[in-house]
Amino acid sequence: MADVINERVPPRRVLGLAAPALGVLAAEPLYVLVDTAVVGHLGALPLAGLALGGVLLSLVSTQLTFLSYGTTARTARLHGAGRRADAVEEGVQATWLALAVGLVIVAAGQLLAEPVARAMSGDDAITAEAVSWLRIALLGTPMILVTMAGNGWMRGVQDTVRPLRYVLTGNAISAVLCPVLVYPAGLGLEGSAVANVVAQTISGGLFLAALGKERARLRPRPSVMWAQLRLGRDLVLRSLGFQACFLSAATVAARTSTEAVGAHQVVLQLWTFLSLVLDSVAIAAQSLIGAALGAGSERSARGVAAQLARYGLIFGCVLCVVFAALSQLLPQAFTSDAGVLAEIPNAWWFFVALQPIAGVVFALDGVLLGAGDAAFLRNATLASAILGFLPLIWASLGFGWGLVGIWSGLSLFMLLRLVFVVARWRGGNWAVVGAVRP
């Protein structure tokens, strides 16, 4: 085991992949945090509408993570085997999938936005706010998915700098535009949705331009897309587990009180933000593990996996300390509503305590995703949701536990995932070499 652990990569190389990936991963939730802060000062009702609409929009991207994570896994193996042209072509086919699926979602979303929002909120006022925001924001879906595919193939060829530039360009412009549209322009909540679409259109357009410059074959290839979809199937089912949990949490919070759902929105967006911050280690893991296995080096893959799990733990501990210290000040940046502020501590300390656990879980998720071990991750996530998160969330509704019950469910969910991924990592069955995982 000592020899395996010594098969490390230089920390500078990990940082070179993780730091730009961190910028990409943090950009979107950071923009959402800015959006939340802007809308939060309109009052509890617009904030609740943004909370519900935001959860529904995030369902689109999180349910289709195979466009980024699956593409990274396949591209990294080809890159490690010295087949860059084939690696880039994976990105072309993922982009075709992104555009096709995105257009379908725009059409379906316009029809389903109101009935789905009404079923979740149980409140006409919150439903109206959520639907007005969501119908506009959904127009950016094709470019959201194109951006995911672009991130996937670029990470696979170990280029994390260009994605950072592309995503920051779109989000920086929209972060300035959002408060202008919400307040001086008088669009209110709908102004934040327009700014969201602008961000996605700019970023997606830059990824399309970059793909065109690669001189890859641009025609659709159904055989490659079907191979991506087979890997995507397991990742979609895994994402369904996440979405069943977070949609249930939003529903229970909405049926608790307007203040509770507003507080849940603030803490959940911080959780999402830090989850993606920690996921920067996972992105480095995907790229490095995929390349090592594609080059035929199981020994190197095992050593890098151990190294990155330690990095995830250290990173999580740092975030735990930082956000514990900010507990009194940071919530006030997102809302001035006294009722929402009074509810936030019921979720805050769960959020803080989970950071070290999340650091290890997300790093090992990246290891297993880089190895293409999607079937195991699917099973582990669904089992953790069924045994941990979902029972406590719905018990919270029945027994009136509110945010304490909801975030207790999230805590149990993360602890179960930790047990599963650590056992898999130690077992070693994930380390299958070759340019394409059998």
Side-chain angles (χ1 to χ4, degrees):
M1 175 62 77
D3 289 341
V4 171
I5 291 176
N6 287 334
E7 288 285 329
R8 296 161 53 94
V9 294
R12 180 177 296 178
R13 186 177 178 198
V14 177
L15 184 62
L17 291 170
L22 170 59
V24 171
L25 292 167
E28 182 64 22
L30 185 59
Y31 171 74
V32 174
L33 286 174
V34 172
D35 199 16
T36 300
V38 171
V39 173
H41 291 286
L42 291 173
L45 183 58
L47 184 60
L50 177 63
L52 188 56
V55 166
L56 290 170
L57 183 64
S58 71
L59 174 63
V60 172
S61 57
T62 53
Q63 198 57 43
L64 296 169
T65 52
F66 76 90
L67 288 168
S68 55
Y69 295 132
T71 302
T72 297
R74 290 175 57 86
T75 303
R77 282 181 177 264
L78 291 165
H79 177 71
R83 295 165 54 184
R84 179 183 168 87
D86 291 333
V88 173
E89 190 167 344
E90 288 285 336
V92 173
Q93 304 311 315
T95 300
W96 279 115
L97 281 174
L99 289 168
V101 174
L103 291 173
V104 170
I105 290 172
V106 170
Q110 301 304 315
L111 296 174
L112 297 175
E114 184 170 1
V116 172
R118 188 177 303 280
M120 287 183 61
S121 72
D123 182 284
D124 288 344
I126 294 176
T127 297
E129 293 287 318
V131 171
S132 69
W133 184 90
L134 185 60
R135 282 183 168 155
I136 297 171
L138 278 169
L139 299 177
T141 301
M143 288 306 193
I144 291 175
L145 302 186
V146 166
T147 296
M148 291 170 62
N151 272 292
W153 72 264
M154 285 188 178
R155 291 168 185 166
V157 299
Q158 301 195 8
D159 179 357
T160 55
V161 175
R162 280 191 296 168
L164 175 61
R165 292 203 304 265
Y166 298 164
V167 171
L168 286 182
T169 298
N171 283 359
I173 291 171
S174 291
V176 174
L177 189 60
C178 179
V180 173
L181 293 177
V182 170
Y183 292 108
L187 295 180
L189 180 59
E190 293 181 349
S192 82
V194 173
N196 188 287
V197 173
V198 170
Q200 304 304 341
T201 300
I202 293 171
S203 297
L206 291 170
F207 279 105
L208 288 175
L211 197 57
K213 292 177 182 178
E214 289 284 337
R215 297 183 179 178
R217 290 174 293 185
L218 297 180
R219 64 181 177 83
R221 292 188 61 196
S223 62
V224 177
M225 287 190 276
W226 277 116
Q228 292 176 340
L229 287 171
R230 284 195 295 272
L231 176 59
R233 174 195 59 201
D234 291 326
L235 294 177
V236 166
L237 290 171
R238 176 176 180 256
S239 296
L240 278 173
F242 287 120
Q243 293 311 313
C245 292
F246 288 105
L247 286 172
S248 295
T251 301
V252 172
R255 292 176 184 273
T256 300
S257 68
T258 300
E259 290 74 18
V261 74
H264 180 67
Q265 164 71 359
V266 170
V267 183
L268 181 63
Q269 291 305 324
L270 284 168
W271 166 263
T272 301
F273 173 64
L274 291 193
S275 294
L276 296 181
V277 168
L278 290 169
D279 222 14
S280 63
V281 178
I283 296 301
Q286 288 177 53
S287 182
L288 293 168
I289 294 295
L293 294 174
S297 180
E298 178 183 344
R299 181 188 181 94
S300 177
R302 291 177 183 273
V304 172
Q307 179 183 358
L308 293 177
R310 289 195 299 274
Y311 288 175
L313 176 61
I314 293 168
F315 202 177
C317 289
V318 170
L319 292 175
C320 177
V321 171
V322 168
F323 281 83
L326 293 174
S327 63
Q328 298 301 310
L329 295 177
L330 191 56
Q332 297 181 51
F334 298 101
T335 182
S336 55
D337 188 281
V340 174
L341 289 170
E343 283 281 355
I344 284 177
N346 292 326
W348 187 270
W349 295 109
F350 290 99
F351 152 73
V352 169
L354 283 171
Q355 295 310 310
I357 295 169
V360 176
V361 169
F362 298 153
L364 291 179
D365 274 356
V367 167
L368 299 179
L369 283 169
D373 198 11
F376 172 80
L377 288 171
R378 173 201 66 199
N379 294 338
T381 301
L382 293 176
S384 299
I386 292 168
L387 296 174
F389 205 159
L390 291 173
L392 276 175
I393 287 175
W394 292 109
S396 298
L397 180 61
F399 293 100
W401 295 338
L403 293 185
V404 171
I406 291 170
W407 283 80
S408 294
L410 175 60
S411 299
L412 182 56
F413 177 66
M414 291 300 298
L415 286 168
L416 289 171
R417 287 180 64 200
L418 177 67
V419 171
F420 283 127
V421 296
V422 168
R424 184 66 167 183
W425 162 52
R426 299 291 293 178
N429 291 335
W430 54 272
V432 179
V433 299
V436 177
R437 184 182 176 94

